[in-house]
């Protein structure tokens, strides 16, 4: 009997565990690979856990869309920070991370064989989720600075297209899409009768006075815009698995079907922690993201030494830079050499859909300044030695 699972055979293997194994086999390696922050959740998150434990009903299933206390706080945050008002035409669904919000959305709006437009480089879990749902990712290139090309997106739409996905601030490039471009894409979706899925997991991570824009705040966009958010990054919440999505009300039944089948309800203990985290003082985000901004400057200054070897696109968001290395070497081979010979880890660009050269994603959020400085110096030295 053939025990191979045909559906999953076509899905790329997650790259983070593969690079993690290389790191474990090379002790002392500094990782500029995984996209997480180095700081801890706020104390207010922990302070609410006794309240969770004190209520016996919390050990039972709770509402599929999230507990009412958290939904109320999220609605206030969305109005205040994102300009998204929750009313009878929209709904919030708490999810086990924004990745779950994405697969919920895909399952709710598609049938097998449908198409979803991704802008390259894409976030690999998006591409994987689309294929798992039996749908087809349609890849549309960005410009030389990894900015959206609305005309190219419009030209890629077919009768099978169900949504366009944008990620801003972007993973893996770190670029922030302009309000003009996001409005153009959102309007294209309205005109063509498809959805705009806006992934905003890095909404707080913008620099140099760049402002985050939520397409769900555009006038009239609530009918076809699906907005995805996460606590994993800004609140140091990666393992707690709490995100949330804002959806048109007409999708709520479909999304609840998907979530109830896969999850039943978001982890209630994590929802209480999230409720506490969102009560943290403004200084928590300001100070921690301010420290990441300082690390970003260290990385920028060091990367200048690679200008003859790499194309380094300016990026004002998230905590990534995406390098195009001037070499014919395979990107995974280069990553292996950097780990094994220079004890520095980055992520290869092919996992983000980039097949036309050697690309590397450099993540700087997981390291304090001193470690980041050592790490980026190793990367510069390694590339200068290997590529030259």
């Amino acid at each position: 009997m053939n025990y191979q699972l045909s559906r999953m055979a076509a899905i790329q293997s997650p790259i983070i565990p593969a690079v993690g194994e290389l790191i474990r086999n090379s002790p002392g390696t500094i990782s500029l690979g995984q996209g997480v922050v180095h700081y801890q959740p706020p104390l207010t998150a922990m302070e609410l856990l006794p309240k969770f434990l004190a209520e016996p009903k919390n050990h039972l299933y709770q509402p599929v869309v999230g507990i009412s206390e958290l939904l109320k706080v999220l609605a206030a945050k969305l109005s205040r920070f994102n300009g998204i008002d929750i009313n009878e035409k929209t709904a919030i669904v708490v999810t086990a991370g924004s990745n779950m919000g994405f697969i919920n959305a895909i399952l709710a709006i598609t049938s097998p064989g449908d198409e979803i437009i991704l802008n390259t480089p894409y976030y690999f879990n998006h591409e994987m989720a689309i294929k798992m749902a039996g749908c087809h990712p349609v890849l549309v290139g960005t410009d030389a600075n990894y900015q959206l090309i609305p005309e190219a997106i419009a030209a890629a739409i077919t009768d099978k297209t169900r949504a366009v996905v944008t990620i801003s601030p972007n993973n893996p490039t770190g670029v922030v899409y302009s309000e003009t471009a996001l409005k153009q894409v959102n309007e294209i979706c309205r005109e063509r009768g498809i959805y705009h899925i806006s992934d905003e997991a890095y909404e707080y991570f913008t620099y140099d006075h760049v402002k985050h824009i939520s397409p769900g705040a555009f006038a009239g966009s609530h009918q076809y815009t699906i907005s995805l958010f996460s606590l994993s990054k800004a609140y140091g919440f990666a393992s707690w698995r709490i995100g949330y999505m804002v959806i048109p009300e007409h999708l709520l039944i479909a999304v609840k079907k998907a979530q109830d089948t896969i999850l039943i309800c978001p982890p209630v203990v994590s929802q209480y922690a999230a409720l506490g985290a969102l009560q943290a003082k403004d200084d928590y985000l300001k100070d921690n993201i301010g420290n990441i901004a300082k690390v970003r400057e260290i990385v920028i200054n060091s990367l200048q030494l690679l200008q003859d070897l790499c194309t380094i696109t300016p990026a004002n968001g998230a905590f990534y830079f995406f390098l195009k290395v001037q070499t014919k070497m395979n990107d995974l081979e280069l990553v292996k050499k950097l780990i094994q010979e220079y004890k520095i880890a980055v992520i290869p660009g092919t996992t983000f859909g980039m097949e036309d050269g050697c690309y590397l994603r450099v993540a700087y959020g997981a390291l304090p300044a001193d470690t980041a400085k050592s790490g980026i110096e190793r990367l510069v030295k390694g590339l200068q030695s290997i590529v030259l």
Side-chain angles (χ1 to χ4, degrees):
M1 183 180 290
N2 182 1
Y3 289 100
Q4 184 177 14
L5 301 178
S6 60
R7 177 188 294 270
M8 303 309 292
I11 309 299
Q12 66 164 304
S13 296
I15 191 63
I16 299 296
V19 172
E21 182 65 21
L22 290 170
I23 292 171
R24 284 189 290 275
N25 291 334
S26 186
T29 295
I30 295 175
S31 177
L32 296 171
Q34 193 161 25
V36 294
V37 297
H38 67 271
Y39 56 85
Q40 299 294 303
L43 291 177
T44 51
M46 307 304 125
E47 289 169 352
L48 230 59
L49 296 184
K51 183 177 179 181
F52 162 81
L53 293 171
E55 178 52 68
K57 74 174 184 179
N58 285 332
H59 302 293
L60 305 174
Y61 297 129
Q62 295 297 310
V64 66
V65 299
I67 59 175
S68 60
E69 302 95 322
L70 181 55
L71 293 172
K72 182 178 179 180
V73 171
L74 290 174
K77 174 266 178 185
L78 287 161
S79 178
R80 181 181 66 255
F81 184 80
N82 303 95
I84 298 175
D85 292 325
I86 304 301
N87 50 45
E88 69 280 358
K89 297 179 180 180
T90 56
I92 305 173
V93 177
V94 180
T95 58
S98 62
N99 273 5
M100 183 165 196
F102 186 81
I103 190 66
N104 281 351
I106 296 301
L107 292 173
I109 68 174
T110 66
S111 296
D114 285 343
E115 297 173 350
I116 303 291
I117 292 177
L118 298 179
N119 297 280
T120 56
Y122 54 65
Y123 172 44
F124 52 84
N125 282 144
H126 285 174
E127 187 258 2
M128 294 165 69
I130 291 165
K131 287 187 174 180
M132 285 181 193
C135 297
H136 304 295
V138 174
L139 308 185
V140 174
T142 48
D143 69 14
N145 291 316
Y146 302 122
Q147 292 289 334
L148 298 171
I149 307 176
E151 299 83 0
I153 292 171
I157 295 172
T158 72
D159 290 342
K160 292 186 176 182
T161 305
R162 295 294 173 262
V164 176
V165 179
T166 60
I167 310 170
S168 183
N170 189 260
N171 177 12
T173 67
V175 304
V176 179
Y177 297 149
S178 70
E179 182 173 5
T180 298
L182 287 170
K183 278 187 173 179
Q184 288 177 311
V185 172
N186 195 260
E187 180 64 14
I188 289 168
C189 292
R190 184 192 67 79
E191 292 174 348
R192 303 296 286 271
I194 61 177
Y195 292 95
H196 181 178
I197 301 176
S198 174
D199 186 328
E200 303 174 39
Y202 299 88
E203 58 183 328
Y204 292 108
F205 296 88
T206 59
Y207 314 100
D208 299 333
H209 307 292
V210 172
K211 182 182 177 182
H212 172 68
I213 301 297
S214 293
F218 298 155
S221 70
H222 63 274
Q223 296 178 346
Y224 55 90
T225 303
I226 299 169
S227 305
L228 308 178
F229 302 95
S230 174
L231 271 71
S232 294
K233 313 301 180 182
Y235 289 94
F237 240 61
S239 72
W240 291 86
R241 306 314 306 137
I242 289 291
Y244 54 103
M245 58 194 305
V246 178
I247 59 175
E249 195 278 336
H250 66 259
L251 289 179
L252 182 57
I253 291 176
V255 167
K256 287 170 71 173
K257 288 178 182 179
Q259 179 138 307
D260 185 72
T261 300
I262 299 170
L263 187 66
I264 298 182
C265 68
V268 179
V269 63
S270 295
Q271 291 189 71
Y272 269 79
L275 184 60
L278 290 165
Q279 295 173 9
K281 293 182 179 180
D282 292 344
D283 286 348
Y284 172 80
L285 290 178
K286 181 180 178 182
D287 293 346
N288 282 308
I289 294 176
N291 288 333
I292 287 182
K294 293 176 183 177
V295 172
R296 175 176 174 267
E297 291 301 317
I298 293 171
V299 174
I300 289 173
N301 291 335
S302 296
L303 290 179
Q304 301 308 309
L305 300 172
L306 295 175
Q307 287 186 333
D308 293 338
L309 299 177
C310 303
T311 301
I312 305 165
T313 300
N316 291 313
F319 32 76
Y320 305 115
F321 286 103
F322 201 62
L323 313 183
K324 183 175 184 180
V325 186
Q326 297 172 17
T327 179
K328 293 183 179 180
M329 185 181 299
N330 173 274
D331 59 354
L332 184 55
E333 179 186 353
L334 178 55
V335 167
K336 289 179 179 178
K337 281 182 170 291
L338 287 168
I339 294 173
Q340 293 167 352
E341 298 177 16
Y342 292 90
K343 295 189 180 300
I344 185 67
V346 289
I347 302 297
T350 47
T351 198
F352 304 101
M354 301 300 283
E355 305 285 353
D356 63 336
C358 182
Y359 296 82
L360 303 174
R361 188 189 76 173
V362 178
Y364 55 85
L367 303 175
D370 54 348
T371 310
K373 187 174 188 298
S374 298
I376 199 67
E377 287 174 354
R378 291 186 191 184
L379 177 63
V380 168
K381 182 179 179 181
L383 290 174
Q384 287 175 334
S385 300
I386 295 170
V387 176
L388 282 179

